[in-house]
Amino acid sequence: MNPRAGLDAPAGLVLVVEDEPAIAAVERLYLTKAGFGVETAADGRAAWAAVKAHRPVAIVLDVGLPQIDGIELCRRLRAEDDWTPIIFVTARDDELERLLALELGGDDYLTKPFSPRELVTRLRAVLRRTNGPATRSRIVLGPLEVDLEQRSVVLRGARPALTATEFDLLAHLARSPGRVFSREQLQSAVWGHADHASGRSVDVHIAQLRAKLGPGSGIRTVRGVGYALDEQDAEAAATGSAG
Ligand code: CA
């Protein structure tokens, strides 16, 4: 592989960590077509070395790998304060594994078999939301505007009155549109701690938030995991609010 591939790729270098050569080849093909440079690693140890050597813009990380598995690799990177965006690829529809992947600092996940186009879409979304959203004071997602300084929300021209907790929940979701957060992650972000006893409080506040925002809130329940805020199509929303 041309070692300069990543430097010349306009969209940046992606590290694909996958021990099944056929899957790695398909991922490489689609990512290359999408403008990314691609490096591959077939096991956890090689992946660790590749992250350090190439500083990829993102990692597509298979969970089931020889030597160091994907979950452990992510754990080690995050322990070193390395926050390179990670999209996990899980072998089966395993809720616990998905939850663990997100808890450990994964940014998104795909379950095999997945469409390579979906991988490219998810990767672009992850890169969009990890590129400096923390410094923005105003987030606009289609018909939804969240002003982080004024702590105000506008949805299709209406200004719903939110409690401080409801606002914090919405703002946290809105900072990473499309990203799935577990209840524990939301608890930690909003209340500063996560404990089992108050697990239901997230559900209660989300329900109140949905009631205030109305049917087009964009808040999505991910069964067995938690919640995400999806960016809505501004046109569809505008049509919905007509009259
Ligand atoms: Ca594997």
Side-chain angles (χ1 to χ4, degrees):
M1 188 65 200
N2 172 10
R4 286 192 52 82
L7 300 175
D8 296 337
L13 178 76
V14 174
L15 176 64
V16 168
V17 187
E18 174 59 67
D19 60 331
E20 292 175 54
I23 296 177
V26 171
E27 291 180 5
R28 176 197 286 279
L29 177 69
Y30 275 78
L31 292 171
T32 305
K33 276 204 288 191
F36 293 97
V38 177
E39 281 291 334
T40 55
D43 64 65
R45 264 189 233 292
W48 177 266
V51 172
K52 300 299 166 191
H54 301 293
R55 295 280 157 206
V57 295
I59 307 170
V60 178
L61 183 55
D62 186 28
V63 170
L65 291 169
Q67 297 181 9
I68 305 171
D69 73 18
I71 300 270
E72 179 58 23
L73 182 69
C74 176
R75 194 203 305 271
R76 291 188 191 182
L77 287 170
R78 296 324 189 213
E80 275 206 342
D81 223 15
D82 183 325
W83 296 94
T84 308
I86 291 177
I87 297 183
F88 275 107
V89 175
T90 63
R92 55 191 180 280
D93 201 17
D94 183 332
E95 274 180 11
L96 267 178
E97 197 170 76
R98 287 203 306 258
L99 192 57
L100 188 60
L102 296 174
E103 288 289 341
L104 285 174
D107 295 276
D108 205 348
Y109 62 83
L110 286 164
T111 304
K112 288 179 185 174
F114 56 86
S115 120
R117 278 174 216 276
E118 180 69 12
L119 170 63
V120 171
T121 303
R122 299 285 191 94
L123 182 60
R124 286 189 174 134
V126 162
L127 290 173
R128 256 201 316 276
R129 70 190 188 231
T130 51
N131 278 339
T135 56
R136 284 181 304 171
S137 66
R138 194 161 152 271
I139 301 168
V140 179
L141 299 171
L144 175 69
E145 291 178 35
V146 180
D147 190 318
L148 300 173
E149 272 174 20
Q150 309 265 333
R151 293 183 61 84
S152 64
V153 171
V154 177
L155 179 62
R156 290 180 205 97
R159 291 181 173 271
L162 304 184
T163 66
T165 301
E166 289 159 3
F167 177 85
D168 288 340
L169 262 177
L170 182 65
H172 193 70
L173 291 168
R175 282 192 185 96
S176 303
R179 170 166 176 180
V180 180
F181 290 95
S182 69
R183 289 176 179 78
E184 290 75 14
Q185 285 173 323
L186 291 172
Q187 276 184 295
S188 299
V190 173
W191 287 273
H193 62 88
D195 61 77
H196 195 69
S198 57
R200 241 181 64 77
S201 63
V202 171
D203 297 336
V204 172
H205 287 285
I206 289 279
Q208 288 165 349
L209 194 49
R210 276 182 169 143
K212 288 183 181 180
L213 296 178
S217 70
I219 299 172
R220 171 164 56 96
T221 302
V222 182
R223 202 170 290 280
V225 180
Y227 298 97
L229 181 68
D230 289 329
E231 187 164 0
Q232 299 174 76
D233 181 13
E235 209 171 296
T239 310
S241 70

